[in-house]
Amino acid sequence: MASFQLRQFHFFKRESLEDLPEAFKQPELLLCSNGGDLIFIADSDGSIHIVNRSFIVRSFVATSDVPGTRITQMLHIHETRTLLTIEENVSTASSRPIIKLWPVDKLLRQTDVQPVTVKYQQPTSTPHPLTAVAATPSISQIALGFAGGHIVLIRGNIAKSKSTKQRTLHVAPEPVTNLHFISDDTGTSTTLFATTTAQTLAFDTSGSKSDPSILEERGCGIGCSLVNDDNELIVARDEAIYVYTTEGRGPCFAFDAPKVLIRRFRHYLLLATAAPSSMAPTMDHSKDDDDDIHLDSTDSRVYSYNDATTFTILDTKNKLVAYTGVIAGGVRGVAIEWGSVFVLGGHGTLDHFSEKDLLEKLDILYRQNLYPLAVKMAQNGNYDLASVAGIYKKYGDWLYSKDDFDTAMSQYMQTIGYVEPSYIIRKYLDAQRLISLASYLQELHTAGMATSDHTTLLLNCYTKLRDEEKLNQFIHTQEDYQFDVDTAIHVCRQAGFYDQALYLADKFAKTGMYLKLKVEDQDDIKAALEYMHKLGDSDASVYLAELGRRCLASLPRETTELLVEVCINGMNTRVGTGDKNGSGDSLRASVVVAPMLSMRRIQHLFADQPAWLAAFLEQVIARRWQQPASTVGLSEDEENDMKSAWNTLLELYLCGVESPVSVSPQPTKKQAPKERALDLLRNSNASFDWDRAYILCASNGFTEGIAALYEQRGDVAALLELFIEHDDVGHMRSLLDKYGEERPDLYIKALHYFARNPQLADNERLLSECLATIEKHNLMSPLRVLQALGGSDRSGVTLGMVRGYIMRQIEASTKRIHDNEKAISSYANEYMAHHDNMEALKTKPVVFQSTKCTSCMAPLDLPSIHFLCKHSYHQRCLGDIGDSCPKCQVENQMLEDQRRRQELAAKQHDTFFNKLQASDDGFEVVASWFSKNPFAFTRLVDQ
């Protein structure tokens, strides 16, 4: 059994009460209380005084008038508000004790209250003093202990003195000193603890069994035992204080002093010891009966038994002395009421002991740096957790100031959740106590109070300490993972603990981080590609866009194959299949929202791998867009991707890039890059940007490509210009042979070219063909032809080359002049005839000689109508016809319409100028316009 000195404190305030009622000043008083808000005092005259909280006293006589009779014992049963008194005649030894039950409530209201006298029989013929008494809360059992060693049990309706039974439980050779009843939680079992001067016993009084259980072969003095709230018997002996249950002895306090009284207040034990007590307390937690209190054999203490008594308050929970002091004249009684302790001294004094509040007690402990005791006291005092944590913080600060960092950290750990972690972390960062800091941060994570910064700091501690074991333990043994996983991965990666970072990334499906670790840190490209193969196309596309360049640098073939698969699958999910009827609406509706790795996002990955970019584009185009049907119903994004793929592939070919992979499954002759470019440009399924392709071909001097572009576009004129620019006579002739009939205007450009290049072989024949075609289709006027043939210093055309053409043109011109002169003469004669006719109508009378009606051909009779055109009609034949001749009306209407058209055309100046600008012979346009007499319809406008 370990021994230690109990600390002594003054946790109680002592106050000597003045101006007490007269009842407290009488000699030989007996004090009693039991939680009923009342204190009972019995004096030597047989009177009982009831004192309330205001110290107002109500007295009554409780004994008979026989001299020498007095109250020797009192017991207040607060559950039934009953006062049990023992009345004895102290002047004679043969007197029989009288037991009375007083109703307290009636005593407070009335003066002539009659008690219930408990009937019992003396266990022996020789009367013995009654030394102990106990009663159950319901007063269904009363136990009596006599100086002769007898223990008597009375059962029944004792409060009404009816149907009581009595039996002797035990007969001991020594006096009975104390009796106490306890009951179990159900109230069905009742046990009586009994002590004599030599034994400690227990009886089961709920049944007929009366054999005692001997708890120990040692007893105690009168008033030196009690029962606590746990139904345990507390026995105070001179060397120690013992705890008993119905099973036997429990722990004990070694408190060496002659005990004269023990009482209980809350969790305190109140001890009255003879004269100055010398305390060497020990604590024995063993429940073995063989364990005793071992005292120092060198102890030379001497106890003096006088009228002074030491009053001690023991705190059994916190293992300390809460108060110790001397009561002059001895302790005559202790009353525990109204939340305080009242001690009646032998000199008529009444001392009031009140417990200090918890803050005052803690302040005392703080001043003495007794923080562990302060924590224990706060916990036992039901202090809130935040306040307890504040004590731990004070304790930790004090230990830290003493450089006891590890112990201080164990206290700081108790403050998690109540003290800001940065306060503690800052201390240990300054002191470079990383081991202690790591343990604190670990507890912080266990409590679920850690932030990502705390995770970072903890992992940094492990990594700086290079404590891989604890790092693994922290990562692998977490069940709920109370930390920020992203932060943990980042810290492990930064410190070079890649295996731990990979474990976390894999466990928490941090795919992006896992792949970065594999690719960027471990350079395990093969494993990364295998991992991406297992992902969905949408996820793989995201990580390929980010890590593809690094993968291509190490494993270009495998990475390209994966990129192709992801792109093809992504495109297929986006395009959809449409309905069975091929409805365009269904195709548009079937586009899903699955993310796709855009071709435009991929191409930059091949910045250092142009050959593999060509291989990638070839495979994607061959598998996705090579067939015409595969380009139907594309979304706008995929259409843009398709154009980008064709454009990029063309650019690669023109730059001389060769693909390392063959797309065709059949072995074929290897083509040069520009041959592939030409095939691409001639591919009718290719969907590239024409302008961009033209710029690429032009910047790379790829004439064949430009020609293919012009041909694909159908721009024959531009194609001829290209051949002319490059003096490609062969292709020029092929072009003219192919498109000459459809586009005879091509011969005009050819004429200019052949005229400027007389050195060309067979130039005369080519020139003749051009002139023949121009002449046939009248494409140019002779004057322009001659200008084209001889208008340049470089022209080498001789007169002999074009003699035939010139002669034909002169003959045609001569014939045309002759025809024109003949037409002019005819028009002039016709004009003069019309003019003479009009003059005759104006100046000469008209003779109508017709005798028949022009309409019905019947002879004319009156009334008849004659027209200037020499046609005559019966009036009846004309009917409602107006003033025009019916027979000449159609011709006259045609002339009128022609006149109106000429008048309208004379006002359409834009039409005239457009014709003039578009025609090769402007003079003919002007002459034709003037022939229609446009100025005949002008009007003068008055200003």
Side-chain angles (χ1 to χ4, degrees):
M1 179 177 60
S3 298
F4 58 90
Q5 188 74 26
L6 286 179
R7 294 183 178 273
Q8 299 185 26
F9 302 94
H10 282 322
F11 289 159
F12 280 80
K13 299 176 184 177
R14 179 176 179 177
E15 179 184 6
S16 295
L17 301 181
E18 305 293 340
D19 299 327
L20 296 173
E22 291 297 326
F24 288 95
K25 299 179 181 179
Q26 299 183 32
E28 300 182 11
L29 295 177
L30 181 64
L31 196 64
C32 170
S33 70
N34 190 21
D37 263 353
L38 298 171
I39 295 177
F40 301 91
I41 302 174
D43 59 20
S44 57
D45 295 333
S47 296
I48 294 179
H49 309 279
I50 304 175
V51 183
N52 64 10
R53 183 185 289 267
S54 302
F55 279 83
I56 297 174
V57 179
R58 186 178 182 85
S59 305
F60 66 95
V61 178
T63 61
S64 61
D65 297 336
V66 179
T69 301
R70 58 182 297 179
I71 302 298
T72 56
Q73 294 189 57
M74 283 191 302
L75 178 64
H76 178 217
I77 307 167
H78 70 89
E79 289 86 356
T80 57
R81 302 281 290 177
T82 301
L83 181 66
L84 185 150
T85 61
I86 306 297
E87 177 184 335
E88 293 184 81
N89 192 331
V90 297
S91 61
T92 174
S94 60
S95 64
R96 177 176 176 273
I98 300 173
I99 304 172
K100 295 181 179 180
L101 299 175
W102 301 86
V104 175
D105 293 334
K106 289 184 178 181
L107 290 174
L108 295 175
R109 297 191 304 266
Q110 305 174 16
T111 56
D112 55 346
V113 178
Q114 297 298 319
V116 174
T117 302
V118 179
K119 298 177 181 180
Y120 72 99
Q121 295 180 356
Q122 283 278 2
T124 61
S125 57
T126 303
H128 292 281
L130 188 61
T131 55
V133 63
T136 59
S138 61
I139 319 180
S140 60
Q141 297 183 37
I142 294 179
L144 305 176
F146 294 89
H150 292 77
I151 299 176
V152 176
L153 178 65
I154 304 172
R155 303 179 63 176
N157 193 351
I158 302 174
K160 295 185 179 180
S161 191
K162 295 179 180 180
S163 302
T164 60
K165 295 181 181 181
Q166 174 181 331
R167 64 185 174 116
T168 301
L169 294 178
H170 183 69
V171 179
E174 60 277 341
V176 178
T177 54
N178 299 282
L179 296 172
H180 306 281
F181 278 108
I182 63 170
S183 299
D184 61 7
D185 295 336
T186 62
T188 58
S189 177
T190 304
T191 301
L192 175 67
F193 285 118
T195 63
T196 67
T197 56
Q199 284 184 319
T200 301
L201 309 170
F203 300 88
D204 183 4
T205 62
S206 57
S208 58
K209 181 181 178 182
S210 59
D211 295 335
S213 298
I214 300 176
L215 302 179
E216 191 168 7
E217 292 292 345
R218 287 196 295 174
C220 65
I222 296 175
C224 290
S225 69
L226 56 85
V227 174
N228 62 14
D229 292 335
D230 296 326
N231 285 338
E232 296 174 332
L233 177 66
I234 309 297
V235 176
R237 301 191 182 103
D238 288 350
E239 75 281 4
I241 299 170
Y242 297 87
V243 179
Y244 295 91
T245 65
T246 55
E247 304 297 327
R249 198 184 84 181
C252 65
F253 293 96
F255 191 81
D256 191 5
K259 317 289 189 305
V260 296
L261 182 69
I262 184 171
R263 292 289 183 269
R264 181 173 64 88
F265 172 62
R266 297 174 182 167
H267 63 278
Y268 297 101
L269 290 180
L270 313 178
L271 297 175
T273 58
S277 62
S278 179
M279 294 169 286
T282 60
M283 181 65 187
D284 179 13
H285 290 279
S286 174
K287 295 188 178 182
D288 297 335
D289 293 339
D290 296 335
D291 290 343
D292 296 326
I293 303 296
H294 299 286
L295 301 178
D296 191 351
S297 60
T298 61
D299 189 2
S300 59
R301 293 171 290 175
V302 177
Y303 303 106
S304 60
Y305 300 93
N306 50 34
D307 59 349
T309 301
T310 300
F311 183 68
T312 303
I313 302 177
L314 286 178
D315 186 344
T316 57
K317 282 188 177 181
N318 301 310
K319 311 300 185 296
L320 56 84
V321 176
Y323 178 83
T324 182
V326 177
I327 305 298
V331 176
R332 294 164 58 188
V334 177
I336 300 168
E337 210 61 65
W338 312 312
S340 301
V341 178
F342 296 90
V343 178
L344 183 62
H347 295 164
T349 60
L350 184 65
D351 291 320
H352 172 230
F353 293 87
S354 60
E355 185 180 7
K356 295 179 180 179
D357 60 48
L358 187 55
L359 289 177
E360 290 184 84
K361 292 189 284 187
L362 292 177
D363 186 60
I364 295 172
L365 297 176
Y366 294 157
R367 290 198 297 269
Q368 300 182 36
N369 296 322
L370 298 175
Y371 296 102
L373 187 57
V375 170
K376 187 176 182 181
M377 183 173 291
Q379 291 173 337
N380 291 333
N382 296 324
Y383 223 34
D384 62 277
L385 296 178
S387 300
V388 175
I391 301 174
Y392 278 117
K393 176 179 173 296
K394 290 178 180 290
Y395 189 21
D397 292 343
W398 181 74
L399 291 171
Y400 187 89
S401 66
K402 301 296 182 183
D403 295 336
D404 189 357
F405 301 114
D406 295 338
T407 309
M409 179 54 76
S410 63
Q411 309 309 315
Y412 287 136
M413 287 182 185
Q414 306 298 323
T415 67
I416 292 176
Y418 302 98
V419 175
E420 179 63 34
S422 59
Y423 172 82
I424 299 157
I425 293 172
R426 195 163 51 247
K427 282 177 172 288
Y428 281 80
L429 283 177
D430 295 341
Q432 294 297 307
R433 305 291 297 182
L434 294 182
I435 296 177
S436 298
L437 179 58
S439 61
Y440 174 78
L441 292 170
Q442 178 72 57
E443 289 297 322
L444 202 64
H445 282 80
T446 303
M449 306 294 293
T451 65
S452 60
D453 292 335
H454 297 145
T455 303
T456 304
L457 187 57
L458 175 59
L459 295 175
N460 278 324
C461 289
Y462 287 149
T463 54
K464 286 185 178 180
L465 294 170
R466 308 308 296 177
D467 193 343
E468 188 170 358
E469 180 181 355
K470 285 190 176 180
L471 179 60
N472 288 330
Q473 182 181 4
F474 175 75
I475 291 175
H476 291 276
T477 61
Q478 293 287 325
E479 294 181 359
D480 50 358
Y481 287 91
Q482 297 289 338
F483 58 82
D484 185 82
V485 177
D486 291 334
T487 303
I489 295 174
H490 174 74
V491 174
C492 290
R493 181 187 182 191
Q494 195 174 33
F497 288 90
Y498 302 127
D499 292 338
Q500 289 77 5
L502 282 169
Y503 171 80
L504 290 173
D506 186 43
K507 184 175 183 64
F508 290 95
K510 301 292 183 179
T511 306
M513 190 63 70
Y514 181 89
L515 292 173
K516 283 185 178 180
L517 287 163
K518 282 291 185 183
V519 174
E520 297 176 359
D521 298 313
Q522 293 189 330
D523 200 25
D524 191 356
I525 308 300
K526 183 176 181 181
L529 291 176
E530 291 175 354
Y531 190 88
M532 282 189 274
H533 266 293
K534 301 175 184 178
L535 300 175
D537 295 322
S538 59
D539 292 334
S541 65
V542 174
Y543 305 120
L544 281 172
E546 185 176 0
L547 304 172
R549 189 169 184 177
R550 183 74 176 270
C551 295
L552 283 167
S554 297
L555 296 174
R557 182 180 297 274
E558 293 80 355
T559 307
T560 302
E561 291 175 355
L562 179 59
L563 283 168
V564 170
E565 291 298 327
V566 169
C567 284
I568 294 299
N569 295 336
M571 293 173 188
N572 289 337
T573 57
R574 292 190 60 173
V575 171
T577 58
D579 61 5
K580 295 182 179 180
N581 298 324
S583 170
D585 293 338
S586 298
L587 282 172
R588 288 189 292 271
S590 63
V591 175
V592 296
V593 294
M596 183 187 88
L597 186 56
S598 171
M599 297 286 294
R600 289 161 290 172
R601 291 179 55 197
I602 288 180
Q603 294 178 17
H604 78 279
L605 301 177
F606 294 89
D608 302 326
Q609 304 284 337
W612 287 104
L613 175 57
F616 167 76
L617 294 174
E618 286 177 351
Q619 294 183 59
V620 172
I621 290 172
R623 294 175 58 180
R624 184 69 189 95
W625 299 309
Q626 193 64 43
Q627 301 301 323
S630 62
T631 60
V632 178
L634 297 181
S635 65
E636 182 179 355
D637 286 341
E638 188 177 356
E639 188 172 353
N640 292 333
D641 285 341
M642 179 176 63
K643 290 182 179 180
S644 175
W646 285 106
N647 291 335
T648 306
L649 185 59
L650 175 61
E651 184 175 1
L652 291 171
Y653 286 160
L654 293 176
C655 292
V657 176
E658 294 187 19
S659 169
V661 178
S662 176
V663 178
S664 174
Q666 301 293 336
T668 57
K669 181 181 177 181
K670 188 174 182 181
Q671 288 181 303
K674 289 200 174 181
E675 291 178 353
R676 293 190 177 188
L678 191 58
D679 291 343
L680 187 152
L681 292 171
R682 290 172 176 171
N683 187 349
S684 59
N685 296 323
S687 178
F688 48 80
D689 184 84
W690 194 93
D691 293 331
R692 181 175 176 182
Y694 178 84
I695 293 172
L696 290 173
C697 292
S699 60
N700 287 277
F702 189 39
T703 306
E704 294 87 344
I706 298 175
L709 287 171
Y710 284 146
E711 187 173 1
Q712 185 189 54
R713 199 173 190 179
D715 194 347
V716 182
L719 185 59
L720 180 62
E721 289 284 355
L722 178 67
F723 294 151
I724 291 174
E725 181 182 353
H726 291 85
D727 296 327
D728 192 348
V729 179
H731 283 95
M732 284 177 60
R733 294 185 63 182
S734 300
L735 183 66
L736 291 172
D737 293 342
K738 185 176 181 180
Y739 297 102
E741 291 296 328
E742 299 176 8
R743 297 285 304 275
D745 57 293
L746 297 176
Y747 285 95
I748 298 176
K749 295 182 179 180
L751 177 66
H752 285 82
Y753 174 76
F754 292 136
R756 292 194 306 270
N757 296 276
Q759 75 280 3
L760 295 175
D762 204 13
N763 185 56
E764 184 176 352
R765 186 180 65 83
L766 295 174
L767 192 62
S768 298
E769 290 179 0
C770 291
L771 289 173
T773 304
I774 292 173
E775 183 180 4
K776 178 182 177 181
H777 295 281
N778 195 22
L779 300 176
M780 297 174 64
S781 66
L783 181 60
R784 291 187 60 188
V785 170
L786 293 176
Q787 288 176 346
L789 294 174
S792 173
D793 295 338
R794 293 174 55 191
S795 177
V797 180
T798 63
L799 183 61
M801 293 180 182
V802 296
R803 180 182 178 186
Y805 172 78
I806 295 175
M807 292 301 294
R808 289 191 300 272
Q809 292 299 318
I810 292 174
E811 292 176 358
S813 297
T814 303
K815 183 177 182 301
R816 190 164 49 252
I817 292 171
H818 177 71
D819 292 340
N820 290 337
E821 288 176 350
K822 186 177 180 179
I824 291 171
S825 177
S826 174
Y827 291 152
N829 294 332
E830 185 179 353
Y831 171 75
M832 291 304 297
H834 286 297
H835 182 270
D836 292 341
N837 192 19
M838 290 177 63
E839 285 295 325
L841 290 174
K842 291 180 181 179
T843 59
K844 297 178 180 180
V846 178
V847 178
F848 298 100
Q849 298 178 351
S850 178
T851 59
K852 293 183 180 181
C853 176
T854 305
S855 177
C856 64
M857 300 304 293
L860 285 174
D861 54 10
L862 297 177
S864 60
I865 298 176
H866 303 275
F867 292 96
L868 293 177
C869 60
K870 303 296 183 70
H871 293 141
S872 301
Y873 297 91
H874 294 114
Q875 185 178 11
R876 63 179 178 272
C877 290
L878 290 178
D880 295 333
I881 295 176
D883 55 355
S884 62
C885 174
K887 189 173 182 179
C888 299
Q889 186 176 8
V890 175
E891 183 179 358
N892 292 336
Q893 185 65 41
M894 290 176 60
L895 293 174
E896 182 65 22
D897 291 342
Q898 184 177 3
R899 190 190 66 81
R900 288 198 187 102
R901 284 196 299 270
Q902 289 179 354
E903 182 179 3
L904 182 63
K907 299 177 181 179
Q908 294 177 348
H909 306 295
D910 292 340
T911 303
F912 166 72
F913 286 111
N914 290 336
K915 288 182 178 181
L916 183 63
Q917 186 175 3
S919 175
D920 291 333
D921 193 352
F923 180 79
E924 182 179 358
V925 175
V926 173
S928 174
W929 188 71
F930 270 103
S931 69
K932 297 175 183 178
N933 197 14
F935 300 108
F937 307 103
T938 56
R939 300 286 189 272
L940 294 177
V941 179
D942 296 334
Q943 297 295 329

